[in-house]
Amino acid sequence: MRTMRIVMAAMLSAGAAMPLNGALAQGAEGIPGDRLVVPLPDVSGLDDAQARDLAHELARANVITSNCPDHDVGDGAWQLMTGTTDALTEKLKLDPITYDREYFRPAFGLMEDPQACDKLGPGVQDTVDKLIAMGGGTQSAAQTAPQADAPAD
């Protein structure tokens, strides 16, 4: 079972690290369809060291929320984390193999510690809060975008 989770997680991380197109991509304006689209923080101003640190933090949060039921997050927070990871992997020009080797595997290795959920789980909300402070959100982009036709109060 653990091997299957590792393989599935690696496949998911590889997909998250690749620049996406079509129905899976989320640009600043979002995408139509059933997928929840949330505002993402602008990571373009981060230097490479800051971007790498945030990518490591998000990889850890991904692993914790996927493996620790007590520290799961809602759909909006998940989209915020994964969308930001996509943006960081693009900014850092990381291919799926490099992302897996340098970010996801080390994060997944933390699960070898039986106390990992208790130690790292509370930090997931701090990561989500950081992304929100950087301009991201957990509410649908359609709900948070100003309406052009809406009258001013």
Side-chain angles (χ1 to χ4, degrees), residues 40-59:
L40 299 177
D42 179 6
V43 297
S44 65
L46 299 177
D47 63 34
D48 284 354
Q50 292 169 320
R52 283 190 298 272
D53 288 346
L54 186 54
H56 281 291
E57 184 175 341
L58 285 166

Side-chain angles (χ1 to χ4, degrees), residues 75-91:
D75 291 343
W78 180 256
Q79 282 301 123
L80 175 60
M81 292 187 326
T82 58
T84 304
T85 298
D86 290 346
L88 289 167
T89 57
E90 186 174 326
K91 176 181 178 47

Side-chain angles (χ1 to χ4, degrees), residues 28-78:
E29 72 286 348
I31 59 164
D34 294 337
R35 182 170 164 222
L36 175 66
V37 177
V38 299
L40 299 177
D42 179 6
V43 297
S44 65
L46 299 177
D47 63 34
D48 284 354
Q50 292 169 320
R52 283 190 298 272
D53 288 346
L54 186 54
H56 281 291
E57 184 175 341
L58 285 166
R60 284 189 302 272
N62 176 322
V63 167
I64 293 299
T65 60
S66 297
N67 292 282
C68 304
D70 290 342
H71 299 288
D72 196 9
V73 294
D75 291 343
W78 180 256

Side-chain angles (χ1 to χ4, degrees), residues 106-129:
F108 207 88
L110 297 171
M111 295 308 298
E112 296 296 324
D113 178 354
Q115 299 301 314
C117 291
D118 293 334
K119 288 179 185 176
L120 301 172
V124 171
Q125 187 59 50
D126 293 339
T127 300
V128 171
D129 291 344

